Amino acid sequence: MEATINTSQAIAQPLAQPAAPSLRPIKARQGHLISDSYAMFKRCIRINFRNPDAFGMSIVAPFLMMLLLGYVFGGAMAMGRETYINFIVPSIMLISIAQSTIFTGISVSKEAKNGIIDRFRSMPIAQSSVLVGHVAASMFRSIVVMLAVTAGAFIIGFRPEASAVQWLTIAGLLLLFTLGMTWIAVLVGLTVKSEEAASSSLTMVSLLPYLSSGFAPVETLPAGLRAFAQYQPITPVIDNARALMMGGSISADFAAAILWWSAIAAIACLVAIKTYHRKLTK
Amino acid sequence: MEAMISVKGLEKSYQSKKSSHQVLKGVSFEVAAGEIFCLLGSNGAGKTTAVNILTTLGLPSAGTASINGFDVVTAADQVRASISLTGQFAATDEMLSGRENLQLIADLRRRKQGKQEVIQLLETFRLTDAADKPVATYSGGMRRRLDIAMSLLGDSPVIFLDEPTTGLDPQNRLAMWELIRDRTAAGTTIFLTTQYLEEAEQLADRIAILHEGVIITQGSPAQLKQEMYCSETDSLPSLEEVFLTHIGENKGVKPCPDLLQAA
């Protein structure tokens, strides 16, 4: 039998004295973006790590792919297996990050149809904190993914030569990439009709690292693809991350990587917040 | 004195490519502070549409509405600071526990004694035993109770309850009524929608009957009955008879001629 609500005990009455029935003054200051976002971040992280299937796959799948590429194709590459593993680690990292952002898109899409979003929208909070919480959780996942891929790569022979400063630069660059990819995922999650649609369209986006300098030097690609690979925003991220990992310095297109992904993040963020208000207003 | 909720000529229509559908066709009413106001109507009458506009989730097509003196369109932030909503559909996080759901609301509302309030609400709603289990494992009744507990957290001057007892068993429904009455004792204004006549009669200080987007009558339960009382009937009608007569579906009882003119 279902338990009955306990009425013998009066519910917590926060008011010091019963207010006279009249209009009530309210606090002048409403929601605060940082603290509200932090509450939402904690919520998203809990939901993420209690649903380990999806998140785990974004680590396991690229790891298996790294094994496959390293051992099956690595030997056939002119550069040799060891060099090839060093060559593909940044691309594997980008793919893993891209896949872990799909999770954000699916969550947002699911939530947009759930009653909880109505509760948040009717509360005195910074409204964008709902989305910012998701993005912050994605950044956190991204850090976990980077550490996991690096550790996995070590096992199969990845031998980076980067200094601490170079590692920090790589991490910063990849986090900026995460930021852009996550806001795209949020935007897609808000736009498409179903979770399935969010998942499949974002999977398409996460394939972009393949069409870059990620797995083969761009010079070896056929003409049309080469042009795309050379100028798409993922290539400068991979090239610079790779150079830094091997102890090299950033190249001329480092600025291009920063500009690309700052612009993508900023635009996707603004459009997503606008879409959130427009789409959910009944 | 200014009303806690004031609605004037509220209209809402939904436009699609092919047609336009008007859900609210000029709704007006006022709710005094500390009152339990009940919007009564059948499915599709427009109750939830009205709640959506009043809780800033939707925008009106025409007319105005204010809560606690703030306009729902131009001062949405202040309105949100004045209200708390339990929507028709469960607004809980499945993967989180009952306690975590409540704590999230406490954090977002910046309750200083949040932890204590959460413990007390769990106790009041008999959810203490299941407090740390994920909501996904809860029964329908437990989810509904958690949902309502989340809305009662804090000291919002106005609480909106959209069909709060739908899906509750009889003893929990009675207990819920008790809780709602307790709240108004502290000066909270309650805006309730229901399709249960008994609920309206038991709880409401005032009832407005919404039918096909129009308020066809409003008043205290006693007034509504009195209004229908005429020499032809020898006893006061039940609220059910009042309701069915007003929406024109009472085949058994002959309505008062005065009443029909008024409508």
Side-chain angles (χ1 to χ4, degrees):
Chain A
M1 206 181 84
E2 195 99 303
T4 308
I5 297 163
N6 190 354
T7 45
S8 58
Q9 187 184 12
I11 205 160
Q13 285 302 343
L15 296 168
Q17 67 251 12
S22 64
L23 299 195
R24 238 189 275 170
I26 49 160
K27 277 182 228 133
R29 189 149 168 245
Q30 308 308 327
H32 188 278
L33 182 62
I34 294 176
S35 61
D36 292 344
S37 299
Y38 179 64
M40 293 295 184
F41 164 74
K42 279 197 299 187
R43 160 176 178 266
C44 292
I45 287 289
R46 283 197 175 118
I47 294 173
N48 279 180
F49 288 95
R50 276 172 210 176
N51 187 1
D53 307 2
F55 178 49
M57 274 313 284
S58 71
I59 295 174
V60 175
F63 185 68
L64 291 177
M65 204 170 60
M66 193 156 59
L67 282 180
L68 189 79
L69 288 168
Y71 285 107
V72 179
F73 303 120
M77 295 287 162
M79 59 180 87
R81 179 173 290 126
E82 272 78 64
T83 321
Y84 189 61
I85 288 174
N86 288 342
F87 185 80
I88 61 173
V89 166
S91 357
I92 299 282
M93 247 180 216
L94 256 70
I95 287 175
S96 322
I97 291 171
Q99 282 183 352
S100 86
T101 64
I102 297 176
F103 195 73
T104 304
I106 296 172
S107 312
V108 169
S109 162
K110 208 190 286 185
E111 226 158 68
K113 287 192 289 290
N114 186 318
I116 193 125
I117 216 108
D118 284 348
R119 187 189 289 288
F120 293 148
R121 289 185 59 235
S122 68
M123 285 177 70
I125 56 173
Q127 290 299 311
S128 46
S129 66
V130 179
L131 301 181
V132 174
H134 276 290
V135 173
S138 173
M139 302 289 273
F140 182 82
R141 285 203 312 270
S142 185
I143 293 172
V144 177
V145 166
M146 283 186 231
L147 293 174
V149 171
T150 309
F154 254 109
I155 298 171
I156 63 160
F158 173 51
R159 293 296 173 262
E161 285 152 27
S163 68
V165 176
Q166 282 165 325
W167 275 118
L168 284 177
T169 314
I170 296 166
L173 187 60
L174 294 186
L175 282 176
L176 181 62
F177 168 75
T178 310
L179 191 66
M181 288 297 282
T182 309
W183 277 112
I184 292 173
V186 169
L187 180 56
V188 170
L190 287 170
T191 311
V192 298
K193 284 205 171 69
S194 68
E195 294 159 54
E196 289 79 11
S199 168
S200 53
S201 47
L202 286 169
T203 303
M204 300 295 284
V205 178
S206 77
L207 293 180
L208 280 177
Y210 289 103
L211 308 178
S212 71
S213 62
F215 294 96
V218 279
E219 308 82 67
T220 64
L221 301 175
L225 187 58
R226 189 191 314 152
F228 179 78
Q230 238 159 5
Y231 296 107
Q232 72 130 316
I234 288 173
T235 297
V237 177
I238 291 183
D239 286 349
N240 281 285
R242 185 183 288 141
L244 288 166
M245 276 179 197
M246 293 340 286
S249 56
I250 55 169
S251 57
D253 58 1
F254 186 78
I258 301 287
L259 278 177
W260 261 116
W261 289 100
S262 306
I264 289 171
I267 293 167
C269 166
L270 291 177
V271 179
I273 290 173
K274 237 188 144 102
T275 307
Y276 176 80
H277 289 296
R278 186 177 48 81
K279 267 233 139 144
L280 296 177
T281 299
K282 296 179 178 177
Chain B
M1 197 196 297
E2 204 178 339
M4 185 55 105
I5 303 177
S6 168
V7 177
K8 291 193 193 86
L10 201 64
E11 291 179 28
K12 177 74 184 184
S13 30
Y14 290 98
Q15 247 87 33
S16 70
K17 276 168 203 145
K18 285 178 190 155
S19 63
S20 130
H21 175 52
Q22 195 172 15
V23 183
L24 296 177
K25 303 166 182 168
V27 168
S28 302
F29 58 82
E30 287 197 339
V31 181
E35 217 177 20
I36 302 185
F37 180 84
C38 178
L39 197 58
L40 179 66
S42 341
N43 288 331
K47 302 188 296 289
T48 298
T49 305
V51 169
N52 282 344
I53 294 172
L54 292 177
T55 55
T56 75
L57 300 180
L59 293 171
S61 308
T64 58
S66 71
I67 291 177
N68 202 16
F70 300 107
D71 187 275
V72 293
V73 179
T74 57
D77 284 341
Q78 285 87 338
V79 169
R80 290 186 194 120
S82 309
I83 64 167
S84 174
L85 164 70
T86 297
Q88 212 168 347
F89 302 103
T92 54
D93 263 320
E94 295 256 300
M95 304 295 287
L96 301 186
S97 69
R99 191 191 307 279
E100 287 166 342
N101 267 289
L102 284 163
Q103 190 61 49
L104 173 66
I105 302 298
D107 291 348
L108 290 172
R109 288 198 182 274
R110 287 187 192 69
R111 306 296 298 171
K112 289 197 181 72
Q113 307 292 320
K115 234 174 182 158
Q116 277 324 104
E117 285 179 60
V118 168
I119 290 169
Q120 195 142 21
L121 279 165
L122 286 166
E123 183 67 26
T124 308
F125 282 81
R126 290 272 160 102
L127 290 165
T128 306
D129 291 344
D132 297 305
K133 294 189 183 121
V135 173
T137 64
Y138 285 21
S139 72
M142 289 163 81
R143 278 171 207 227
R144 197 63 188 151
R145 269 141 55 200
L146 175 65
D147 206 15
I148 292 168
M150 284 164 81
S151 301
L152 297 186
L153 209 160
D155 58 355
S156 310
V158 184
I159 296 181
F160 285 87
L161 299 165
D162 195 3
E163 305 202 3
T165 61
T166 302
L168 283 187
D169 54 19
Q171 69 267 36
N172 271 316
R173 174 168 299 164
L174 289 174
M176 189 65 67
W177 291 352
E178 202 63 39
L179 275 173
I180 293 172
R181 289 195 196 99
D182 279 358
R183 270 280 147 154
T184 48
T188 306
T189 309
I190 310 265
F191 185 102
L192 177 80
T193 75
T194 188
Q195 40 180 325
Y196 301 117
L197 294 143
E198 194 198 352
E199 189 158 285
E201 189 166 17
Q202 283 285 334
L203 281 178
D205 295 315
R206 276 187 325 113
I207 298 172
I209 299 179
L210 183 66
H211 186 61
E212 290 175 353
V214 183
I215 297 222
I216 47 183
T217 186
Q218 54 181 316
S220 68
Q223 275 171 345
L224 293 190
K225 290 182 192 174
Q226 198 66 48
E227 198 174 75
M228 279 207 43
Y229 177 73
C230 52
S231 48
E232 291 163 45
T233 17
D234 37 3
S235 63
L236 276 180
S238 73
L239 196 59
E240 186 170 355
E241 285 169 327
V242 174
F243 178 70
L244 292 173
T245 304
H246 270 293
I247 69 169
E249 284 182 14
N250 195 346
K251 305 285 188 284
V253 176
K254 228 168 88 190
C256 280
D258 302 352
L259 177 77
L260 285 184
Q261 269 171 8

